Amino acid sequence: MNKNHSFIGSNVALITPMFADGAVDYESLNLLIDFHVDSGTSSIVSVGTTGESATVGVKEHLKIINHTVKYAAKRIPIIAGTGANSTSEAIELTQEAKNLGADACLLVTPYYNKPTQEGLFQHFRLIAESVNIDQILYNVPGRTAVDMSVDVISRLSEISNIIGIKDATGDLSVIKQLVEKCPEDFLLLTGDDATAVDFLIAGGHGGISVTANIVPKELQKVYLSVIAGNTDLAKNLNSNLENFHKNLFLEANPIPVKWALHKMGKCDKGIRLPLLELSNEFKSIIEHDLKELDLV
């Protein structure tokens, strides 16, 4: 592992903080960027799923990336979420993110239109050929209704600027196949906090995490401990976070994590329709988790 060392370990899928009326709160965004710089997070994913890419318009999407890149000022690498279900739109977003100074882009499989496996290959191939920036594939069938095969990922891994994949299947048989079929320097990142330690033990290099929004320093220690071969320490440290890994998905992400950060005093509780504030029935569960970790 050499060319992708920036993204080894814990990368945060950062929320986009908003005021109660849904406007982006750039001051809180600055504080969150500082929080991750200070905590040793490997990189920030800007406007991914957790950053509400599905609720912001294209101009605003690019404005958030631009602000994040500028404020981070090379203190931490920025991965821009630029996936789309239209190949031409994904190319446009990826090119703009490169122009704005992002270090890499995260590209989700095209959702809703259910392309074939060959369609997925051609989609990602064309984006990679069109924009000369490091690109990370993102497979999350639970949200997109399409599951990219290991064979297609393996074929794409041979393209020089496709440097890795975020696998959010939670299926540990997938990581074993990826280790076997992809080049050694192809970055294997998990997008499933609940199975992250086992993913890393099986040969993964890190994760793009929701939980890292809440406990970045602690999660980085878990990930780097596994990578260093200290699996017992990692499992012990991770046992304190297991409830959080699970409970941050009591409702659709990022509903619970945004409410948790609000309770920690790190942002307002704004979120955009069709997403709503966390349901009252779940608030005591998240609050209990925060108290257990001395975060409130």
Side-chain angles (χ1 to χ4, degrees):
M1 294 297 299
N2 45 28
K3 65 177 180 179
N4 307 321
H5 62 85
S6 298
F7 309 127
I8 290 172
S10 173
N11 306 276
V12 65
L14 192 67
I15 68 150
T16 299
M18 297 173 183
F19 295 109
D21 64 0
V24 175
D25 178 357
Y26 287 99
E27 190 175 333
S28 290
L29 179 56
N30 292 347
L31 295 173
L32 290 173
I33 293 166
D34 290 336
F35 178 47
H36 288 285
V37 171
D38 295 343
S39 299
T41 298
S42 297
S43 77
I44 287 171
V45 174
S46 175
V47 207
T49 306
T50 311
E52 284 178 81
S53 57
T55 71
V56 299
V58 173
K59 283 183 181 173
E60 193 172 35
H61 186 125
L62 293 171
K63 184 180 176 184
I64 296 163
I65 292 170
N66 184 42
H67 182 95
T68 302
V69 169
K70 282 189 170 170
Y71 186 78
K74 298 294 181 187
R75 292 176 296 153
I76 186 171
I78 306 300
I79 302 171
T82 59
N85 59 351
S86 154
T87 306
S88 59
E89 184 181 339
I91 290 170
E92 191 179 331
L93 282 170
T94 304
Q95 183 62 59
E96 287 297 325
K98 183 193 175 185
N99 296 346
L100 294 171
D103 296 282
C105 289
L106 180 69
L107 291 133
V108 72
T109 50
Y111 39 87
Y112 188 76
N113 48 21
K114 295 188 176 182
T116 63
Q117 293 299 312
E118 185 59 26
L120 290 171
F121 176 80
Q122 296 296 346
H123 170 82
F124 288 115
R125 180 194 60 78
L126 186 58
I127 301 166
E129 288 179 357
S130 301
V131 189
N132 184 22
I133 188 173
D134 284 349
Q135 297 175 24
I136 299 168
L137 310 171
Y138 178 17
N139 191 35
V140 57
R143 280 187 179 266
T144 61
V146 60
D147 188 3
M148 186 158 50
S149 72
V150 170
D151 286 340
V152 168
I153 296 165
S154 175
R155 286 170 67 197
L156 289 166
S157 72
E158 301 294 338
I159 297 171
S160 62
N161 61 327
I162 296 180
I163 64 165
I165 183 162
K166 175 184 177 183
D167 173 68
T169 61
D171 180 351
L172 293 169
S173 69
V174 172
I175 175 63
K176 289 165 186 167
Q177 294 175 67
L178 290 170
V179 168
E180 193 181 304
K181 296 191 175 184
C182 295
E184 200 178 332
D185 68 349
F186 189 68
L187 195 68
L188 303 174
L189 302 174
T190 181
D192 185 62
D193 284 309
T195 58
V197 168
D198 289 329
F199 181 99
L200 292 168
I201 290 169
H205 305 116
I208 294 176
S209 168
V210 176
T211 306
N213 279 280
I214 309 294
V215 282
K217 193 177 291 184
E218 294 80 354
L219 199 66
Q220 184 68 289
K221 192 169 181 182
V222 170
Y223 283 18
L224 295 182
S225 295
V226 183
I227 291 163
N230 300 324
T231 53
D232 288 342
L233 174 62
K235 285 179 176 178
N236 186 41
L237 293 169
N238 192 58
S239 65
N240 299 321
L241 307 177
E242 281 173 350
N243 283 340
F244 239 138
H245 295 327
K246 183 178 80 219
N247 292 336
L248 288 176
F249 290 86
L250 283 168
E251 288 185 322
N253 177 47
I255 293 171
V257 72
K258 288 195 98 171
W259 194 81
L261 284 165
H262 168 61
K263 288 305 288 185
M264 290 167 67
K266 293 195 175 293
C267 62
D268 206 336
K269 56 184 177 180
I271 196 164
R272 287 191 187 174
L273 286 169
L275 303 178
L276 295 171
E277 183 183 324
L278 186 67
S279 298
N280 288 333
E281 63 187 290
F282 298 129
K283 287 180 177 175
S284 60
I285 298 172
I286 298 291
E287 200 157 1
H288 176 264
D289 290 344
L290 291 168
K291 284 177 180 169
E292 288 282 297
L293 293 167
D294 293 324
L295 296 172
V296 291

